[in-house]
Amino acid sequence: MIFVANYKMNGDKKFYQKVNRVFNKLESEDTVVLCPPFVYMSSFKLRNENVFLGSQDVSGEINKTSTGQISAKMLQELNVTYSIIGHSERREIGETDFMIASKVHMAQEFGLVPIVCVGERNRAESLDILIKQVSIALSKSQKNNVIFAYEPVWAIGTGEIPTVDQINSAISVIKETALKCGFDVQVLYGGSVNLSNHNEIRKSSADGFLMGGVSLKLDDFIKIVKGE
Ligand code: PGA
């Protein structure tokens, strides 16, 4: 399985030093992807073959004057191997499906594996939104190395989670849409995963979890990785 820690705009230098130490010692066969804020990335010295660095975003541009943006090439230089793209918190501030498609393409150009977040905004919204989000995200992709994260927006940071059946239905829509576009993708689940619900969510067909809040609690996160 793949376990992604999305630290968002949290933590400080001391916290990330601890994260580095703790994950260098982690004994697990599963893949762990740590996504700290950009400014802390260069301080990481990961020495664990199953633990990788990921970014929380990446620019869809290269060689363009673009104040404040971070390019895929810069991330590649820092040994970053994954990139979360299209998180709902970025979609909320104006990121469109077409911008996400450019970011997916640019990430792949520089050897980063995109982890594209998709999900309906509220419980009433049809899962058809996933078809649009997935097919546009893949429209400029040239390599078969995209991971999706099904993240119902209403479940992010709220403590509410979908049922296993609902997660499985969404994952089927994502996989079928990707397959029609020519891509065989893995799909993670994200949204309020915690120590008390992860075993239930593991019953779904998700290939792993993308975790926000619980990634700040290192002991809980590691228990989830180990399936305890
Ligand atoms: P959460 O966040 O685990 O705190 O709900 C998940 C996410 O935003 O990716």
Side-chain angles (χ1 to χ4, degrees):
M1 289 179 82
I2 303 173
F3 298 93
V4 183
N6 177 11
Y7 296 108
K8 308 192 180 186
M9 199 172 67
N10 294 299
D12 53 20
K13 202 167 153 187
K14 213 166 151 211
F15 173 75
Y16 291 109
Q17 283 168 348
K18 184 169 176 196
V19 169
N20 196 157
R21 271 200 311 276
V22 166
F23 285 94
N24 274 350
K25 281 193 232 135
L26 176 73
E27 286 177 21
S28 165
E29 297 291 295
D30 293 294
T31 298
V32 173
V33 182
L34 308 174
C35 304
F38 288 125
V39 291
Y40 297 113
M41 289 186 141
S42 60
S43 67
F44 272 82
K45 291 189 176 45
L46 293 176
R47 289 189 199 90
N48 186 325
E49 61 180 13
N50 295 319
V51 181
F52 302 87
L53 212 47
S55 65
Q56 298 176 15
D57 185 29
V58 62
S59 173
E61 311 282 350
I62 189 88
N63 296 333
K64 198 182 166 203
T65 48
S66 207
T67 304
Q69 295 296 299
I70 305 287
S71 74
K73 187 166 181 256
M74 295 169 185
L75 295 173
Q76 185 190 42
E77 274 184 355
L78 292 186
N79 297 321
V80 175
T81 36
Y82 291 84
S83 183
I84 297 174
I85 294 176
H87 191 280
S88 67
E89 287 154 14
R90 298 209 52 85
R91 291 178 187 263
E92 244 170 60
I93 54 169
E95 200 159 293
T96 65
D97 287 317
F98 294 99
M99 289 158 77
I100 289 163
S102 300
K103 290 180 178 211
V104 168
H105 170 69
M106 201 50 79
Q108 290 177 329
E109 284 290 291
F110 290 93
L112 309 178
V113 179
I115 302 172
V116 185
C117 301
V118 294
E120 74 282 9
R121 279 174 297 252
N122 53 60
R123 281 182 182 272
E125 191 170 22
S126 151
L127 290 185
D128 286 353
I129 183 80
L130 300 174
I131 300 176
K132 177 172 165 271
Q133 290 174 331
V134 170
S135 50
I136 302 178
L138 292 172
S139 60
K140 293 183 181 171
S141 172
Q142 282 156 355
K143 294 182 189 140
N144 197 16
N145 66 346
V146 185
I147 296 171
F148 279 90
Y150 169 55
E151 296 212 305
V153 180
W154 53 267
I156 296 177
T158 59
E160 287 181 58
I161 57 163
T163 63
V164 168
D165 284 348
Q166 285 169 329
I167 296 173
N168 288 343
S169 307
I171 290 178
S172 299
V173 173
I174 295 167
K175 289 200 170 183
E176 280 164 25
T177 307
L179 217 48
K180 278 190 196 144
C181 302
F183 296 85
D184 183 12
V185 298
Q186 287 185 294
V187 185
L188 316 179
Y189 168 78
S192 292
V193 176
N194 62 35
L195 205 48
S196 24
N197 62 24
H198 74 107
N199 280 320
E200 178 65 15
I201 307 172
R202 271 177 186 264
K203 294 178 191 155
S204 75
S205 53
D207 298 302
F209 303 147
L210 198 168
M211 294 170 271
V214 78
S215 58
L216 299 168
K217 301 177 190 162
L218 299 188
D219 293 344
D220 287 11
F221 184 91
I222 285 169
K223 281 186 184 149
I224 294 173
V225 170
K226 293 191 168 174
E228 289 172 1

